[in-house]
Amino acid sequence: MSGSGLPVVGLNSLLKQGTQHFEGTNEAVQQNVNACVELAKLTRSSMGPNGMFKIVLNHLEKLFVTKSASTIVSELEVTGGAAKILIMAAQNQAMESGDATNLVISLGGALLGGAGELLRQGVVAADIVEGFEMALAKIIETLPKLVVASTGDFHNKESLLQIIRPVFMAKHIDYTDNIAPLIAEAVAMIMPKNPEDLVPESVRVACLHGKSVADSVVVKGMVLPSGKAHPCAGVVESVEDAVIAMYSCPLEIDTTETKGTVLLENADELMSFSKNEEAVYKERVEALAAMGVNFLVSQGKAHELLVHFCDKVGIMVVEVHSKFEMQRIAKSVGAKLQIRFKQPTERHLGRCARAFVQEIGEKHCVVLHAKDREDGSAGIATIVVRAASEALLRDINTAIASTVQVVKAQTRDPRMLPGAGATEMALSCELQRLADECEGLEQYAITAFAEALQIVPEILAETSGLDSKDVLTKLRSLHMPSESAELGAFDMGVDIDATHPSKACRYIHS
């Protein structure tokens, strides 16, 4: 029974109290459209190099200072159905190519806003869908004509920088000159002979407090920041030409699964028991040393006696308590993890040029310099990022991961389009021509699609402090084709550094 004493009937009787139910074009469709439009308004101001950072406080009261659209929307508790689908589309875009999540949300919001306006004017949904499909077909047909360059040698730092620089600049323009060359160097280090075999996870990031972003460096191999006062269990802190044995278990002799009791009746038996244990550890360490092993990595605790004998023969012992870091080290040095503390075989051993402990900032780090593989690449490269704040470190880490993912996507299709809104404006002009030639109601949907594409140069102009209307007018006149050319100046985009509207457009190469 409801509070008014009347029985609850219909759909509301099946849903929990407080649930809202909408139906029809004026309720359900418009509610979903409005939700997507508001979501797009939230992220659009963060697009581009001059986009604004957002302060997000999630439900766990964790603070994020970021302009990454994927981070912003993933921390929001969105309840609208269509808005959730838009967020899922942006997340899928991030997984596929690593970038353009803000473009997906902003363009999706603009498209739905245009469709919602057409619905209010009386255009039926079928005509809108058909118009959007015609616009999509035209876009797929036009995009190959807009290609301005192709990535050359993926093993060359300068070619990689062509891809990396514009992607990272859109996220952190202030640190592009510092970080973009480091990403290019790290990717070049781990690039296999066949670029399509690139594994983005092979570029690791170690975030360390202190100094500035300009002090960031690239290490060929692994850098493991330690949460302990000192990462080494013993006194050996450096080895050359390291031969590495890795164990995903504590470094101690096997014990029985059930509890046992040893009865010692006198001091001689106690001494004999201790000597037997020492003899076992001494024998195992000597066997490891005979194989050339000089570096032990354990996921668990290393026994004191084992560490004692390792120090005597010059074996470095490191405890790593993260299974993910253990897997990354194994991949970097070519070792295989062993689940029991026993004598390794040759195929289980890994190798690196040098392993040592280095104090960076306020942390001690284990540094493993990798050897080149048969194809000339390193297994893993690490970018050591320095900054003063946790928020900046986390945001740069996310930006680096997205940028490397873009390089992976570029290996599948090396073609490059004009940036800075040039491609979107060229497509918008082509769709407007298509709409003028169409005689049916689909022309209104095609026009809405064309107007939605102009959202990109409009946002770039707004965030750069330019008059967006003047910039769009000038861009539109440049992109309109002449009688002698099929396309206009399709490589003209928004100049974010312009100080006057008359200089707000320039040639964009990537």
Side-chain angles (χ1 to χ4, degrees):
M1 300 290 289
S2 65
S4 60
L6 298 175
V8 179
V9 296
L11 181 63
N12 289 335
S13 64
L14 305 175
L15 306 176
K16 65 180 182 180
Q17 188 175 359
T19 301
Q20 291 182 307
H21 168 63
F22 302 100
E23 63 181 15
T25 301
N26 294 331
E27 291 186 358
V29 175
Q30 292 298 340
Q31 286 285 342
N32 280 287
V33 166
N34 293 338
C36 293
V37 171
E38 292 301 319
L39 180 65
K41 286 181 181 178
L42 181 67
T43 61
R44 60 175 284 176
S45 59
S46 295
M47 182 186 289
N50 293 328
M52 293 183 289
F53 283 78
K54 299 288 191 298
I55 299 176
V56 182
L57 190 66
N58 67 5
H59 64 287
L60 298 176
E61 296 190 358
K62 186 176 181 179
L63 184 68
F64 294 86
V65 181
T66 180
K67 61 189 292 189
S68 170
S70 58
T71 302
I72 295 171
V73 297
S74 63
E75 296 300 330
L76 297 177
E77 296 183 20
V78 178
T79 58
K84 279 189 173 181
I85 293 175
L86 192 57
I87 291 174
M88 290 170 59
Q91 291 171 341
N92 288 336
Q93 171 71 13
M95 288 187 291
E96 181 68 22
S97 67
D99 195 29
T101 53
N102 205 335
L103 174 65
V104 170
I105 296 174
S106 299
L107 182 58
L111 286 171
L112 288 172
E117 183 61 31
L118 292 176
L119 286 172
R120 282 191 289 270
Q121 293 176 6
V123 181
V124 297
D127 290 333
I128 297 175
V129 171
E130 186 174 352
F132 279 6
E133 289 177 347
M134 291 173 64
L136 177 60
K138 185 64 176 178
I139 288 174
I140 295 173
E141 176 190 338
T142 306
L143 278 176
K145 303 176 184 177
L146 306 180
V147 174
V148 292
S150 292
T151 306
D153 183 8
F154 282 97
H155 298 85
N156 182 271
K157 295 178 186 178
E158 294 302 321
S159 296
L160 290 170
L161 203 57
Q162 267 193 318
I163 310 168
I164 291 168
R165 187 176 179 82
V167 177
F168 191 85
M169 184 182 289
K171 297 170 172 56
H172 280 283
I173 188 172
D174 295 333
Y175 306 116
T176 302
D177 293 336
N178 302 119
I179 300 297
L182 300 184
I183 302 174
E185 183 180 353
V187 173
M189 282 182 183
I190 57 97
M191 183 66 69
K193 282 186 177 180
N194 183 7
E196 292 187 20
D197 295 334
L198 172 67
V199 179
E201 290 76 16
S202 296
V203 176
R204 308 302 310 166
V205 180
C207 297
L208 298 173
H209 285 105
K211 292 194 174 182
S212 67
V213 177
D215 296 298
S216 303
V217 295
V218 174
V219 175
K220 186 179 181 179
M222 287 284 292
V223 177
L224 303 171
S226 175
K228 299 167 57 177
H230 203 283
C232 288
V235 297
V236 182
E237 297 184 358
S238 177
V239 291
E240 301 288 339
D241 293 324
V243 180
I244 306 168
M246 301 188 64
Y247 296 91
S248 59
C249 61
L251 296 182
E252 56 186 15
I253 58 177
D254 296 334
T255 57
T256 58
E257 295 183 0
T258 57
K259 291 183 178 180
T261 303
V262 178
L263 179 61
L264 303 175
E265 296 183 348
N266 51 55
D268 292 336
E269 291 182 356
L270 177 60
M271 291 292 293
S272 176
F273 180 80
S274 300
K275 286 181 179 178
N276 288 338
E277 189 177 19
E278 287 183 21
V280 172
Y281 281 113
K282 183 178 180 181
E283 180 183 349
R284 294 202 177 185
V285 171
E286 289 176 347
L288 289 169
M291 291 188 67
V293 175
N294 57 4
F295 189 19
L296 290 179
V297 184
S298 168
Q299 192 175 331
K301 178 76 174 173
H303 197 277
E304 293 86 349
L305 284 173
L306 177 85
V307 175
H308 168 71
F309 288 113
C310 285
D311 289 340
K312 279 192 170 184
V313 297
I315 297 179
M316 183 176 174
V317 183
V318 172
E319 298 172 0
V320 179
H321 298 287
S322 168
K323 66 178 182 180
F324 300 106
E325 292 294 347
M326 288 289 289
Q327 292 170 357
R328 290 165 188 155
I329 297 172
K331 179 180 179 181
S332 175
V333 301
K336 294 185 181 295
L337 292 174
Q338 299 183 86
I339 60 174
R340 293 181 60 191
F341 180 42
K342 61 181 181 179
Q343 190 72 8
T345 60
E346 188 66 29
R347 67 184 184 88
H348 288 98
L349 300 178
R351 287 170 173 78
C352 70
R354 186 186 175 205
F356 60 96
V357 176
Q358 181 178 357
E359 186 176 358
I360 306 176
E362 59 184 17
K363 287 191 176 182
H364 286 83
C365 302
V366 178
V367 182
L368 306 176
H369 281 171
K371 289 184 175 181
D372 287 338
R373 298 188 170 185
E374 294 180 359
D375 59 359
S377 67
I380 285 182
T382 303
I383 302 174
V384 181
V385 180
R386 308 299 306 277
S389 68
E390 182 67 32
L392 180 57
L393 285 171
R394 183 171 54 239
D395 209 37
I396 291 179
N397 185 4
T398 303
I400 291 174
S402 299
T403 305
V404 177
Q405 193 68 37
V406 171
V407 177
K408 171 64 176 178
Q410 193 74 8
T411 61
R412 297 192 293 264
D413 188 348
R415 294 175 295 178
M416 302 179 75
L417 297 168
T423 298
E424 288 80 9
M425 181 56 74
L427 293 174
S428 176
C429 292
E430 283 297 297
L431 292 184
Q432 194 59 60
R433 288 174 61 189
L434 177 64
D436 294 340
E437 296 170 0
C438 185
E439 298 180 355
L441 292 176
E442 300 86 1
Q443 62 176 305
Y444 299 109
I446 297 173
T447 301
F449 205 123
E451 293 174 353
L453 285 169
Q454 295 180 19
I455 195 74
V456 177
E458 181 182 346
I459 294 172
L460 293 177
E462 288 177 354
T463 56
S464 301
L466 302 170
D467 189 327
S468 59
K469 292 183 179 179
D470 288 345
V471 172
L472 287 178
T473 301
K474 187 176 181 182
L475 274 178
R476 197 177 295 112
S477 65
L478 290 169
H479 281 263
M480 291 303 292
S482 61
E483 296 180 358
S484 59
E486 184 181 357
L487 296 170
F490 65 87
D491 49 11
M492 298 296 290
V494 181
D495 186 356
I496 60 173
D497 298 321
T499 56
H500 192 274
S502 63
K503 301 179 181 179
C505 305
R506 66 185 174 97
Y507 169 73
I508 304 295
H509 187 62
S510 61

